[in-house]
Amino acid sequence: MDDTQDTAGPRRRSRARTPALVGAGIVLVAGVGTAGALGLGGGGTDDAGRAGPRTSRTVRVEQGTLTEQREIDGTLGHGAEVPFRIRAEGTVTWLPEAGAKVGRGGTVLRVDDRPVTLLYGSLPMYRELAVPQPGPPATGTDGSTSGGTEKGDPQSSSEDQSSAGSQSSAESQSSSTPQTDSAPQSSSTPRTLRGMDVRQFETNLSALGYTGFTVDDEFTGLTAEAVGRWQRDLGLPQTGRVALGDVVYAPGPVRIASTGTRIGADATGDPVIYTSTSRMVTMAAPAADLAWAERGTDVTVELPDGRTVEGEVAQVGKDATAPDAPGSGQGEGQDAGGPAAGSATVSVVVAFDDQKAVGRLESGPVTVRYVLRQHKDVLTVPVAALVALAEGGYALEPAGGTGSFVPVETGLFADGLVEVSGSGIRPGTKVRIPE
């Protein structure tokens, strides 16, 4: 056939039709020779020269695209559940409701009536962000400060006199002896706080509408001033410092899946669990049947309400789960869309470009269909129109004939149709459906 396109992949149990499944719908022409069965000679007109019972029901040969699909059962939801790692210490005084959506700058929970704020990013909050404060003067190994002896020290006069005689000789050697900076640096000069976590925080602060600083890797006094304005809007003391437990990070907006604590409990562990705000389908595909599962592969999802919506493969797992143990009962009685019992599976995630097309459903069982093979611009007839010849092969009986048969070559079987080709078979040709 012309213009055919095969998307081959390993087979899995499915509801798709195959030639073995449609044999019951094909009439066998028995008790006649090849020539007589095909009406190609012999001149016989008795009943023995005809091919069994005939019917007045006819169908037309159609031309179009024939697609063989496979099905896998999946689950509609919001993807993996992820716990927030809360670093704030104290008592939980407020929790969000399950299903609530939280965006940048929103409150994940409150601890001691202080909000824990959601920001976007991949780095966790692992240290306090603030302008470093000057520290005490550095001390030497003998315990003296780097600034020397204090004014009025009784030892200062004698030490100065004892060192006066040696000063001139030391100065004379200084010109020929290389000098090394062995004196400790004073810690009174604060070092600047730098890092990618600073840039991540400043990016969020700027996105929330706070300005007056440069988004970079450096936490400066200008950043601290912007932090103070942000704290004022949150109803917090304007310290200009971001404590370890003040914020949490997520890749983007989140949906609260559940809370693992109660108001009045200590804010420890993982009190809030979140998911993506987007709905998606998760399914367990047989590890031996993953040739089709590539990122970007188009699929059709049948929703619990019977509607279908287009999606595409967004993620394919890299780890296979172990097959169910024999006798465990897991996997027994699976329908045609589920993996075979005892087969290892890999998680596959399907995403939707159009979330509105999914409707109001938040979760439920779904069926995912993907293309195994597709032949374009081919002639097709219902499988029931095929007549199996005694000597092998298939034929069609043109309507309006005298019981003669036209041999055909068969191609793809799918959805109760079969691809055919043969002499005299054209689009619109009427053929009989044998009884």
Side-chain angles (χ1 to χ4, degrees):
M1 289 300 154
D2 295 334
D3 193 13
T4 62
Q5 176 181 350
D6 288 341
T7 307
R11 292 181 178 269
R12 60 168 285 110
R13 296 174 60 194
S14 77
R15 302 183 182 88
R17 278 80 168 174
T18 65
L21 298 179
V22 298
I26 301 176
V27 172
L28 174 64
V29 179
V32 294
T34 301
L38 301 180
L40 300 179
T45 59
D46 58 351
D47 291 341
R50 297 182 183 274
R54 301 174 63 202
T55 178
S56 60
R57 189 160 71 96
T58 61
V59 293
R60 292 181 181 273
V61 176
E62 303 288 345
Q63 185 172 19
T65 298
L66 189 59
T67 303
E68 181 182 6
Q69 296 182 324
R70 289 291 182 265
E71 297 180 351
I72 301 181
D73 293 334
T75 302
L76 177 67
H78 290 82
E81 296 187 352
V82 182
F84 276 119
R85 188 72 176 108
I86 303 300
R87 305 295 296 272
E89 297 180 354
T91 301
V92 175
T93 54
W94 179 85
L95 288 168
E97 294 184 359
K101 296 180 179 179
V102 183
R104 187 188 342 242
T107 300
V108 172
L109 78 164
R110 296 182 76 92
V111 178
D112 289 347
D113 205 30
R114 291 174 57 93
V116 177
T117 303
L118 173 66
L119 300 179
Y120 298 164
S122 58
L123 287 175
M125 186 72 174
Y126 64 89
R127 61 175 175 174
E128 181 181 78
L129 301 180
V131 175
Q133 299 299 313
T139 58
T141 57
D142 59 353
S144 62
T145 63
S146 60
T149 58
E150 296 182 3
K151 184 177 180 179
D153 190 332
Q155 296 182 352
S156 61
S157 175
S158 58
E159 289 176 353
D160 290 344
Q161 292 177 0
S162 62
S163 61
S166 60
Q167 182 176 0
S168 58
S169 61
E171 290 176 349
S172 63
Q173 294 177 3
S174 63
S175 60
S176 59
T177 304
Q179 300 294 312
T180 59
D181 186 11
S182 59
Q185 274 191 331
S186 172
S187 63
S188 60
T189 302
R191 63 182 181 84
T192 302
L193 189 67
R194 294 186 176 90
M196 290 302 297
D197 58 330
V198 175
R199 177 180 291 272
Q200 178 176 272
F201 174 78
E202 290 185 343
T203 299
N204 280 273
L205 196 60
S206 176
L208 289 173
Y210 297 93
T211 59
F213 61 95
T214 301
V215 176
D216 54 18
D217 297 343
E218 190 172 320
F219 196 100
T220 65
L222 294 177
T223 306
E225 291 178 5
V227 169
R229 297 192 296 272
W230 173 54
Q231 291 172 327
R232 178 195 62 201
D233 293 341
L234 291 176
L236 298 173
Q238 300 177 46
T239 63
R241 305 170 70 88
V242 186
L244 190 61
D246 285 349
V247 302
V248 290
Y249 286 101
V254 301
R255 171 185 172 272
I256 303 300
S258 63
T259 54
T261 188
R262 58 182 176 80
I263 295 176
D266 291 337
T268 57
D270 306 322
V272 180
I273 311 296
Y274 73 91
T275 65
S276 168
T277 57
S278 298
R279 285 164 294 180
M280 61 193 72
V281 171
T282 304
M283 53 189 172
D289 184 13
L290 285 178
W292 66 274
E294 298 181 355
R295 292 191 62 180
T297 298
D298 293 329
V299 299
T300 301
V301 179
E302 182 178 339
L303 300 172
D305 59 8
R307 294 183 301 110
T308 59
V309 61
E310 300 301 315
E312 68 175 31
V313 175
Q315 180 180 341
V316 180
K318 296 182 179 180
D319 300 314
T321 60
D324 298 324
S328 65
Q330 297 292 329
E332 296 180 2
Q334 295 264 10
D335 64 18
S343 62
T345 59
V346 174
S347 176
V348 177
V349 177
V350 172
F352 303 105
D353 287 336
D354 186 2
Q355 288 287 315
K356 293 183 178 179
V358 184
R360 301 179 61 182
L361 292 174
E362 295 287 336
S363 62
V366 298
T367 300
V368 178
R369 298 187 179 93
Y370 64 90
V371 174
L372 182 64
R373 291 187 297 170
Q374 187 177 75
H375 291 185
K376 297 181 178 180
D377 196 28
V378 296
L379 300 179
T380 63
V381 295
V383 173
L386 288 179
V387 176
L389 303 176
E391 63 276 13
Y394 299 99
L396 296 175
E397 180 186 4
T402 59
S404 61
F405 295 88
V406 177
V408 294
E409 295 291 334
T410 59
L412 180 63
F413 286 74
D415 293 332
L417 301 176
V418 57
E419 174 187 353
V420 294
S421 61
S423 177
I425 302 300
R426 299 180 178 84
T429 299
K430 289 185 177 182
V431 296
R432 294 186 182 277
I433 302 292
E435 294 181 355

